[in-house]
Amino acid sequence: MTMRAMVFHVPDASLRLEQDRAVPRPGEHEVLVRIHACGVCRTDLHLLDGELPGARLPVTPGHEIVGRVAARGEGAERFAVGERIGVPWLGGTCGRCEHCRAGRENLCDRPTFTGFSRDGGYAQHVTADERFCLPIPDAFGDAEAAPLLCAGLIGYRAYAMAGDAQRIGLYGFGAAAHLLAQLAVHQGREVFAFTRPGDGAAQQFARGLGCRWAGDSTAAPPQLLDAALIFAPVGALVPAALRAVRKGGSVVCAGIHMSDIPAFPYSLLWGERVVRSVANLTRRDGEEFMRLAVEARLRAAVRPYPLEAAGQALEDLRRGTIEGAAVLVMPGP
Ligand SMILES: [Zn+2]
Ligand SMILES: [Zn+2]
């Protein structure tokens, strides 16, 4: 059996449609998933731009996968054939390193990442270790569920790092921020959205989702923030966000890659302000977030693309023209 897939090749660094790729067979503890939708994440763009070392190339990108179990490998009993599941970025861990043993599997020394060190969801089928998959709640359609699996989930991990912050700034109002803004508003927090300078459409979008204030990333918010989450891959936003948080406040960098952070005066960090990053996800983050996503009735704004248009979706993401999340939607059987 063959399938169509968009595969990233080196050394010419191109994303190419392959019409007759063999449908993979599920190994031990693995399921074969027939893909309905796969989100397009900024991490995919970093992969194509050569900004992430360690990828297994050539590789099919995509780690926000929603589909149905089509077959089960040996020992795979967690999901029934036909069940709808999600495949996230964390595809596997070693289970033995100090981080895994301490319950921080997101920091595993020998991890497997979907669409990076194993093939991902820019395809009609994928195999995945069932122990790292998530059930998808019925409340969400296929395309709407896809961005929850990375933008939502890793965004949630960053949000959780902000603790009980009441006034939260979101820098970069894309797929992650538009979901986290809804969750924060649902939890009674005040959200301040920072967009590319002059992006009135994104600012209006943010206000429409209940943000108290929306403005340029170069602007100061009307009040100091308790915490700021940075979703845009722009290092210059770190000192900008530090300027916007109160004493004792945190700045959390949620992306896998960022341009260099420019030098800044120590006074911006002084006052027990904290800068930290968030890496990957744990399975527990996934379970917690899916529960909250249902409770808060998160609604992902989605721009659908056919599989062959993955390159276009990535370019639109780069240019910042997508309201919400780009999702590849596969035709039905
Ligand atoms: Zn490990
Ligand atoms: Zn992602």
Side-chain angles (χ1 to χ4, degrees):
M1 234 178 42
T2 60
M3 64 173 187
R4 293 185 305 138
M6 293 293 286
V7 183
F8 178 57
H9 288 268
V10 279
D12 60 335
S14 68
L15 189 63
R16 293 204 295 263
L17 179 66
E18 293 189 9
Q19 300 274 9
D20 309 304
R21 214 171 157 81
V23 170
R25 301 175 88 87
E28 205 179 345
H29 290 295
E30 287 185 347
V31 285
L32 174 68
V33 179
R34 193 173 74 74
I35 300 173
H36 295 187
C38 180
V40 175
C41 174
R42 184 165 289 280
T43 296
D44 306 340
L45 205 47
H46 294 313
L47 168 70
L48 267 62
D49 288 347
E51 289 165 334
L52 304 179
R56 194 222 61 193
L57 300 169
V59 69
T60 303
H63 55 267
E64 299 181 300
I65 304 168
V66 176
R68 290 195 185 272
V69 175
R72 306 192 296 183
E74 201 181 315
E77 295 171 347
R78 184 173 169 210
F79 302 106
V81 169
E83 196 167 343
R84 194 169 67 135
I85 63 171
V87 185
W89 168 246
L90 188 70
T93 57
C94 77
R96 291 186 295 276
C97 72
E98 59 173 317
H99 306 292
C100 281
R101 282 188 281 122
R104 292 187 301 264
E105 64 182 3
N106 60 308
L107 301 180
C108 177
D109 287 332
R110 288 175 292 278
T112 304
F113 295 124
T114 309
F116 184 78
S117 43
R118 64 181 291 158
D119 280 333
Y122 287 19
Q124 291 179 296
H125 291 88
V126 71
T127 53
D129 186 326
E130 65 166 8
R131 294 166 294 188
F132 292 83
C133 297
L134 291 161
I136 298 290
D138 292 338
F140 305 109
D142 294 329
E144 290 71 33
L148 302 178
L149 287 159
C150 177
L153 222 160
I154 297 182
Y156 168 69
R157 188 173 171 84
Y159 176 74
M161 297 293 179
D164 56 4
Q166 184 61 27
R167 287 193 296 274
I168 298 183
L170 303 177
Y171 283 79
F173 205 81
H178 97 285
L179 292 167
L180 269 296
Q182 294 175 53
L183 179 60
V185 169
H186 172 79
Q187 294 185 334
R189 316 211 195 182
E190 293 174 63
V191 184
F192 299 74
F194 298 81
T195 72
R196 294 184 201 213
D199 191 347
Q203 291 167 15
Q204 201 179 347
F205 178 48
R207 284 189 286 265
L209 293 173
C211 292
R212 213 183 128 229
W213 176 92
D216 296 352
S217 59
T218 48
Q223 284 168 285
L224 286 178
L225 309 169
D226 299 320
L229 314 183
I230 302 181
F231 294 111
V234 181
L237 291 174
V238 172
L242 276 170
R243 256 186 204 97
V245 300
R246 62 158 171 77
K247 285 185 281 188
S250 311
V251 173
V252 184
C253 305
I256 194 169
H257 175 82
M258 197 179 237
S259 55
D260 286 352
I261 301 170
F264 57 87
Y266 178 60
S267 59
L268 291 184
L269 188 61
W270 175 248
E272 301 196 343
R273 290 175 179 88
V274 173
V275 178
R276 70 171 302 162
S277 67
V278 153
N280 312 316
L281 67 137
T282 65
R283 284 172 276 185
R284 190 191 300 164
D285 294 328
E287 287 154 22
E288 276 177 26
F289 174 68
M290 282 299 175
R291 219 170 21 245
L292 283 171
V294 173
E295 185 196 302
R297 299 195 173 134
L298 298 193
R299 282 287 159 254
V302 164
R303 185 186 292 181
Y305 293 83
L307 175 62
E308 320 65 85
Q312 184 62 49
L314 285 159
E315 277 319 302
D316 291 347
L317 180 61
R318 188 194 299 283
R319 292 205 318 275
T321 60
I322 296 167
E323 193 162 275
V327 176
L328 306 179
V329 178
M330 316 304 162

